[in-house]
Amino acid sequence: MKRLGKAPVKAKAEPAKKTNGPRNYLEIVVDREEAIRKKIERVEGRILGFKVNKLEVGEITDVWVPYCLLKYDYHISKTSNFIKGGHRTGTVYIIYDLNEEHCFQYDQVETGELPIVKSSIPLKENQKVLKYKKTEKELDAEVRDFIQMKIMLKTFGHSAELTLKEQTVFYRPAAEIEIFFKGRNRNLRYAYLDEYAVTNEHILGMKYRLKN
């Protein structure tokens, strides 16, 4: 009688590589090479067709840059020469760049809601998601100071009572460009690939405007 051997042990399947990143992102709608070219030209600067800054371009990496959309309701009860009736209420939207750590007012009334895709980033090979250090508490405190000093006091002459209504972290697609000025000073610049990068983002969509 033929003796039966042991059944071969099946090799364990390797876990599939994760291809999904964090949730909430803006879609890529801009040609990558064109965006990089325009960004480098802006950094170089030109006067009468001549380059202002001599620079060298190093590595270019595809990245997702963290941002945060914050929404605050405000209420001003003190009297002011700029406020008829002695009070004012409204809503202000702020965009915070979590990578370079600065913020500006987002004009949602004029531009509309940010087209944030509320699902995981479809990460591709060689793309990376940039990390950030700010905690929610630190971010809220810094943005409140910005709103009071740059918006409320400038516009109404008074600070306001602020209530945080929304805080949403999202990611913008970009090409991270390594730039060397005079061969020594290294800088990182970002050519964004979402719809707000079609022209200067402070003109199209993400711009600062005081609303009375």
Side-chain angles (χ1 to χ4, degrees), residues 123-145:
L123 283 177
K124 296 181 180 179
E125 190 175 359
N126 298 325
Q127 287 184 332
K128 68 176 183 178
V129 178
L130 300 186
K131 296 180 180 180
Y132 59 92
K133 299 178 180 179
K134 287 280 184 186
T135 64
E136 290 184 357
K137 186 176 180 180
E138 291 171 337
L139 181 59
D140 178 46
E142 184 175 337
V143 172
R144 284 176 182 272
D145 287 343

PDB file of all heavy atoms in Angstrom, residues 123-145:
ATOM      1  N   LEU A 123      -3.592  56.672  -2.019  1.00  0.00           N
ATOM      2  CA  LEU A 123      -2.145  56.848  -2.145  1.00  0.00           C
ATOM      3  C   LEU A 123      -1.570  55.994  -3.269  1.00  0.00           C
ATOM      4  O   LEU A 123      -1.919  54.827  -3.430  1.00  0.00           O
ATOM      5  CB  LEU A 123      -1.456  56.478  -0.839  1.00  0.00           C
ATOM      6  CG  LEU A 123      -1.534  57.495   0.303  1.00  0.00           C
ATOM      7  CD1 LEU A 123      -0.857  56.921   1.540  1.00  0.00           C
ATOM      8  CD2 LEU A 123      -0.905  58.809  -0.088  1.00  0.00           C
ATOM      9  N   LYS A 124      -0.659  56.595  -4.020  1.00  0.00           N
ATOM     10  CA  LYS A 124       0.046  55.881  -5.073  1.00  0.00           C
ATOM     11  C   LYS A 124       1.497  55.679  -4.642  1.00  0.00           C
ATOM     12  O   LYS A 124       1.972  56.287  -3.692  1.00  0.00           O
ATOM     13  CB  LYS A 124      -0.018  56.670  -6.381  1.00  0.00           C
ATOM     14  CG  LYS A 124      -1.430  56.819  -6.936  1.00  0.00           C
ATOM     15  CD  LYS A 124      -1.434  57.597  -8.241  1.00  0.00           C
ATOM     16  CE  LYS A 124      -2.843  57.752  -8.783  1.00  0.00           C
ATOM     17  NZ  LYS A 124      -2.875  58.531 -10.046  1.00  0.00           N
ATOM     18  N   GLU A 125       2.185  54.836  -5.389  1.00  0.00           N
ATOM     19  CA  GLU A 125       3.579  54.548  -5.071  1.00  0.00           C
ATOM     20  C   GLU A 125       4.414  55.828  -5.136  1.00  0.00           C
ATOM     21  O   GLU A 125       4.228  56.663  -6.011  1.00  0.00           O
ATOM     22  CB  GLU A 125       4.136  53.517  -6.060  1.00  0.00           C
ATOM     23  CG  GLU A 125       5.499  52.973  -5.666  1.00  0.00           C
ATOM     24  CD  GLU A 125       5.970  51.873  -6.605  1.00  0.00           C
ATOM     25  OE1 GLU A 125       5.214  51.533  -7.537  1.00  0.00           O
ATOM     26  OE2 GLU A 125       7.086  51.382  -6.410  1.00  0.00           O
ATOM     27  N   ASN A 126       5.315  55.974  -4.192  1.00  0.00           N
ATOM     28  CA  ASN A 126       6.232  57.108  -4.096  1.00  0.00           C
ATOM     29  C   ASN A 126       5.568  58.406  -3.625  1.00  0.00           C
ATOM     30  O   ASN A 126       6.212  59.451  -3.606  1.00  0.00           O
ATOM     31  CB  ASN A 126       6.951  57.364  -5.427  1.00  0.00           C
ATOM     32  CG  ASN A 126       7.820  56.185  -5.847  1.00  0.00           C
ATOM     33  OD1 ASN A 126       8.411  55.519  -4.998  1.00  0.00           O
ATOM     34  ND2 ASN A 126       7.882  55.925  -7.145  1.00  0.00           N
ATOM     35  N   GLN A 127       4.298  58.355  -3.266  1.00  0.00           N
ATOM     36  CA  GLN A 127       3.669  59.523  -2.656  1.00  0.00           C
ATOM     37  C   GLN A 127       3.816  59.419  -1.135  1.00  0.00           C
ATOM     38  O   GLN A 127       3.857  58.320  -0.584  1.00  0.00           O
ATOM     39  CB  GLN A 127       2.174  59.592  -2.991  1.00  0.00           C
ATOM     40  CG  GLN A 127       1.866  59.989  -4.418  1.00  0.00           C
ATOM     41  CD  GLN A 127       0.371  60.118  -4.647  1.00  0.00           C
ATOM     42  OE1 GLN A 127      -0.431  59.472  -3.978  1.00  0.00           O
ATOM     43  NE2 GLN A 127      -0.013  60.942  -5.591  1.00  0.00           N
ATOM     44  N   LYS A 128       3.904  60.568  -0.481  1.00  0.00           N
ATOM     45  CA  LYS A 128       3.976  60.530   0.978  1.00  0.00           C
ATOM     46  C   LYS A 128       3.035  61.568   1.572  1.00  0.00           C
ATOM     47  O   LYS A 128       2.749  62.598   0.955  1.00  0.00           O
ATOM     48  CB  LYS A 128       5.402  60.749   1.468  1.00  0.00           C
ATOM     49  CG  LYS A 128       5.959  62.135   1.235  1.00  0.00           C
ATOM     50  CD  LYS A 128       7.361  62.256   1.853  1.00  0.00           C
ATOM     51  CE  LYS A 128       7.929  63.664   1.696  1.00  0.00           C
ATOM     52  NZ  LYS A 128       9.255  63.800   2.326  1.00  0.00           N
ATOM     53  N   VAL A 129       2.567  61.266   2.771  1.00  0.00           N
ATOM     54  CA  VAL A 129       1.685  62.170   3.501  1.00  0.00           C
ATOM     55  C   VAL A 129       2.524  62.909   4.533  1.00  0.00           C
ATOM     56  O   VAL A 129       3.175  62.290   5.375  1.00  0.00           O
ATOM     57  CB  VAL A 129       0.553  61.395   4.208  1.00  0.00           C
ATOM     58  CG1 VAL A 129      -0.325  62.345   5.013  1.00  0.00           C
ATOM     59  CG2 VAL A 129      -0.280  60.635   3.187  1.00  0.00           C
ATOM     60  N   LEU A 130       2.540  64.227   4.460  1.00  0.00           N
ATOM     61  CA  LEU A 130       3.323  65.013   5.398  1.00  0.00           C
ATOM     62  C   LEU A 130       2.653  65.019   6.775  1.00  0.00           C
ATOM     63  O   LEU A 130       1.438  65.123   6.878  1.00  0.00           O
ATOM     64  CB  LEU A 130       3.484  66.447   4.888  1.00  0.00           C
ATOM     65  CG  LEU A 130       4.189  66.610   3.538  1.00  0.00           C
ATOM     66  CD1 LEU A 130       4.394  68.091   3.232  1.00  0.00           C
ATOM     67  CD2 LEU A 130       5.522  65.876   3.502  1.00  0.00           C
ATOM     68  N   LYS A 131       3.458  64.933   7.806  1.00  0.00           N
ATOM     69  CA  LYS A 131       2.943  64.931   9.175  1.00  0.00           C
ATOM     70  C   LYS A 131       2.934  66.355   9.725  1.00  0.00           C
ATOM     71  O   LYS A 131       3.607  67.241   9.206  1.00  0.00           O
ATOM     72  CB  LYS A 131       3.798  64.024  10.058  1.00  0.00           C
ATOM     73  CG  LYS A 131       3.760  62.550   9.643  1.00  0.00           C
ATOM     74  CD  LYS A 131       4.624  61.704  10.563  1.00  0.00           C
ATOM     75  CE  LYS A 131       4.584  60.235  10.158  1.00  0.00           C
ATOM     76  NZ  LYS A 131       5.423  59.390  11.043  1.00  0.00           N
ATOM     77  N   TYR A 132       2.180  66.550  10.782  1.00  0.00           N
ATOM     78  CA  TYR A 132       2.149  67.861  11.419  1.00  0.00           C
ATOM     79  C   TYR A 132       2.209  67.691  12.933  1.00  0.00           C
ATOM     80  O   TYR A 132       1.933  66.613  13.468  1.00  0.00           O
ATOM     81  CB  TYR A 132       0.892  68.644  11.011  1.00  0.00           C
ATOM     82  CG  TYR A 132      -0.419  67.983  11.353  1.00  0.00           C
ATOM     83  CD1 TYR A 132      -1.061  68.254  12.556  1.00  0.00           C
ATOM     84  CD2 TYR A 132      -1.027  67.082  10.475  1.00  0.00           C
ATOM     85  CE1 TYR A 132      -2.271  67.652  12.877  1.00  0.00           C
ATOM     86  CE2 TYR A 132      -2.232  66.479  10.781  1.00  0.00           C
ATOM     87  CZ  TYR A 132      -2.848  66.772  11.981  1.00  0.00           C
ATOM     88  OH  TYR A 132      -4.051  66.166  12.290  1.00  0.00           O
ATOM     89  N   LYS A 133       2.582  68.790  13.635  1.00  0.00           N
ATOM     90  CA  LYS A 133       2.816  68.722  15.072  1.00  0.00           C
ATOM     91  C   LYS A 133       1.727  69.379  15.910  1.00  0.00           C
ATOM     92  O   LYS A 133       1.590  69.078  17.089  1.00  0.00           O
ATOM     93  CB  LYS A 133       4.164  69.364  15.399  1.00  0.00           C
ATOM     94  CG  LYS A 133       5.346  68.684  14.740  1.00  0.00           C
ATOM     95  CD  LYS A 133       6.650  69.401  15.076  1.00  0.00           C
ATOM     96  CE  LYS A 133       7.836  68.736  14.411  1.00  0.00           C
ATOM     97  NZ  LYS A 133       9.112  69.459  14.717  1.00  0.00           N
ATOM     98  N   LYS A 134       0.971  70.277  15.327  1.00  0.00           N
ATOM     99  CA  LYS A 134      -0.015  71.038  16.096  1.00  0.00           C
ATOM    100  C   LYS A 134      -1.091  70.126  16.685  1.00  0.00           C
ATOM    101  O   LYS A 134      -1.640  69.260  15.994  1.00  0.00           O
ATOM    102  CB  LYS A 134      -0.698  72.060  15.200  1.00  0.00           C
ATOM    103  CG  LYS A 134       0.162  73.253  14.821  1.00  0.00           C
ATOM    104  CD  LYS A 134       0.202  74.283  15.931  1.00  0.00           C
ATOM    105  CE  LYS A 134       0.991  75.508  15.505  1.00  0.00           C
ATOM    106  NZ  LYS A 134       1.159  76.464  16.602  1.00  0.00           N
ATOM    107  N   THR A 135      -1.413  70.350  17.969  1.00  0.00           N
ATOM    108  CA  THR A 135      -2.548  69.663  18.561  1.00  0.00           C
ATOM    109  C   THR A 135      -3.811  70.489  18.290  1.00  0.00           C
ATOM    110  O   THR A 135      -3.727  71.672  17.911  1.00  0.00           O
ATOM    111  CB  THR A 135      -2.363  69.515  20.079  1.00  0.00           C
ATOM    112  OG1 THR A 135      -2.349  70.820  20.689  1.00  0.00           O
ATOM    113  CG2 THR A 135      -1.059  68.797  20.399  1.00  0.00           C
ATOM    114  N   GLU A 136      -4.971  69.882  18.495  1.00  0.00           N
ATOM    115  CA  GLU A 136      -6.222  70.613  18.281  1.00  0.00           C
ATOM    116  C   GLU A 136      -6.306  71.823  19.200  1.00  0.00           C
ATOM    117  O   GLU A 136      -6.772  72.894  18.791  1.00  0.00           O
ATOM    118  CB  GLU A 136      -7.415  69.678  18.522  1.00  0.00           C
ATOM    119  CG  GLU A 136      -7.581  68.604  17.472  1.00  0.00           C
ATOM    120  CD  GLU A 136      -8.831  67.780  17.700  1.00  0.00           C
ATOM    121  OE1 GLU A 136      -9.540  68.029  18.719  1.00  0.00           O
ATOM    122  OE2 GLU A 136      -9.124  66.894  16.878  1.00  0.00           O
ATOM    123  N   LYS A 137      -5.837  71.670  20.445  1.00  0.00           N
ATOM    124  CA  LYS A 137      -5.888  72.762  21.412  1.00  0.00           C
ATOM    125  C   LYS A 137      -4.978  73.910  20.986  1.00  0.00           C
ATOM    126  O   LYS A 137      -5.361  75.091  21.041  1.00  0.00           O
ATOM    127  CB  LYS A 137      -5.485  72.249  22.797  1.00  0.00           C
ATOM    128  CG  LYS A 137      -5.636  73.271  23.904  1.00  0.00           C
ATOM    129  CD  LYS A 137      -5.298  72.655  25.262  1.00  0.00           C
ATOM    130  CE  LYS A 137      -5.458  73.690  26.380  1.00  0.00           C
ATOM    131  NZ  LYS A 137      -5.129  73.092  27.706  1.00  0.00           N
ATOM    132  N   GLU A 138      -3.765  73.601  20.546  1.00  0.00           N
ATOM    133  CA  GLU A 138      -2.819  74.619  20.096  1.00  0.00           C
ATOM    134  C   GLU A 138      -3.348  75.335  18.856  1.00  0.00           C
ATOM    135  O   GLU A 138      -3.236  76.565  18.734  1.00  0.00           O
ATOM    136  CB  GLU A 138      -1.464  73.985  19.787  1.00  0.00           C
ATOM    137  CG  GLU A 138      -0.715  73.486  21.008  1.00  0.00           C
ATOM    138  CD  GLU A 138       0.511  72.673  20.647  1.00  0.00           C
ATOM    139  OE1 GLU A 138       0.557  72.128  19.517  1.00  0.00           O
ATOM    140  OE2 GLU A 138       1.419  72.572  21.495  1.00  0.00           O
ATOM    141  N   LEU A 139      -3.917  74.572  17.954  1.00  0.00           N
ATOM    142  CA  LEU A 139      -4.453  75.139  16.725  1.00  0.00           C
ATOM    143  C   LEU A 139      -5.600  76.092  17.021  1.00  0.00           C
ATOM    144  O   LEU A 139      -5.657  77.214  16.491  1.00  0.00           O
ATOM    145  CB  LEU A 139      -4.931  74.004  15.816  1.00  0.00           C
ATOM    146  CG  LEU A 139      -5.506  74.391  14.456  1.00  0.00           C
ATOM    147  CD1 LEU A 139      -4.487  75.143  13.637  1.00  0.00           C
ATOM    148  CD2 LEU A 139      -5.965  73.136  13.713  1.00  0.00           C
ATOM    149  N   ASP A 140      -6.506  75.688  17.882  1.00  0.00           N
ATOM    150  CA  ASP A 140      -7.651  76.521  18.248  1.00  0.00           C
ATOM    151  C   ASP A 140      -7.182  77.832  18.882  1.00  0.00           C
ATOM    152  O   ASP A 140      -7.674  78.917  18.546  1.00  0.00           O
ATOM    153  CB  ASP A 140      -8.548  75.753  19.214  1.00  0.00           C
ATOM    154  CG  ASP A 140      -9.748  76.571  19.685  1.00  0.00           C
ATOM    155  OD1 ASP A 140     -10.404  77.209  18.845  1.00  0.00           O
ATOM    156  OD2 ASP A 140     -10.021  76.567  20.896  1.00  0.00           O
ATOM    157  N   ALA A 141      -6.201  77.765  19.782  1.00  0.00           N
ATOM    158  CA  ALA A 141      -5.707  78.963  20.461  1.00  0.00           C
ATOM    159  C   ALA A 141      -5.061  79.932  19.483  1.00  0.00           C
ATOM    160  O   ALA A 141      -5.304  81.151  19.536  1.00  0.00           O
ATOM    161  CB  ALA A 141      -4.713  78.569  21.550  1.00  0.00           C
ATOM    162  N   GLU A 142      -4.245  79.416  18.562  1.00  0.00           N
ATOM    163  CA  GLU A 142      -3.564  80.278  17.591  1.00  0.00           C
ATOM    164  C   GLU A 142      -4.547  80.922  16.632  1.00  0.00           C
ATOM    165  O   GLU A 142      -4.436  82.115  16.306  1.00  0.00           O
ATOM    166  CB  GLU A 142      -2.526  79.468  16.813  1.00  0.00           C
ATOM    167  CG  GLU A 142      -1.706  80.321  15.859  1.00  0.00           C
ATOM    168  CD  GLU A 142      -0.590  79.546  15.181  1.00  0.00           C
ATOM    169  OE1 GLU A 142      -0.156  78.507  15.735  1.00  0.00           O
ATOM    170  OE2 GLU A 142      -0.151  79.987  14.100  1.00  0.00           O
ATOM    171  N   VAL A 143      -5.534  80.158  16.176  1.00  0.00           N
ATOM    172  CA  VAL A 143      -6.514  80.696  15.225  1.00  0.00           C
ATOM    173  C   VAL A 143      -7.401  81.741  15.895  1.00  0.00           C
ATOM    174  O   VAL A 143      -7.761  82.756  15.291  1.00  0.00           O
ATOM    175  CB  VAL A 143      -7.353  79.559  14.612  1.00  0.00           C
ATOM    176  CG1 VAL A 143      -8.506  80.126  13.785  1.00  0.00           C
ATOM    177  CG2 VAL A 143      -6.473  78.675  13.724  1.00  0.00           C
ATOM    178  N   ARG A 144      -7.750  81.514  17.151  1.00  0.00           N
ATOM    179  CA  ARG A 144      -8.548  82.519  17.874  1.00  0.00           C
ATOM    180  C   ARG A 144      -7.807  83.853  17.956  1.00  0.00           C
ATOM    181  O   ARG A 144      -8.395  84.918  17.756  1.00  0.00           O
ATOM    182  CB  ARG A 144      -8.881  82.011  19.282  1.00  0.00           C
ATOM    183  CG  ARG A 144      -9.980  80.951  19.325  1.00  0.00           C
ATOM    184  CD  ARG A 144     -10.193  80.418  20.739  1.00  0.00           C
ATOM    185  NE  ARG A 144     -11.215  79.386  20.755  1.00  0.00           N
ATOM    186  CZ  ARG A 144     -12.516  79.613  20.900  1.00  0.00           C
ATOM    187  NH1 ARG A 144     -12.955  80.859  21.064  1.00  0.00           N
ATOM    188  NH2 ARG A 144     -13.380  78.618  20.903  1.00  0.00           N
ATOM    189  N   ASP A 145      -6.510  83.801  18.247  1.00  0.00           N
ATOM    190  CA  ASP A 145      -5.713  85.029  18.293  1.00  0.00           C
ATOM    191  C   ASP A 145      -5.696  85.719  16.930  1.00  0.00           C
ATOM    192  O   ASP A 145      -5.797  86.941  16.829  1.00  0.00           O
ATOM    193  CB  ASP A 145      -4.277  84.711  18.728  1.00  0.00           C
ATOM    194  CG  ASP A 145      -4.174  84.373  20.209  1.00  0.00           C
ATOM    195  OD1 ASP A 145      -5.117  84.694  20.965  1.00  0.00           O
ATOM    196  OD2 ASP A 145      -3.152  83.781  20.614  1.00  0.00           O
TER     197      ASP A 145
END
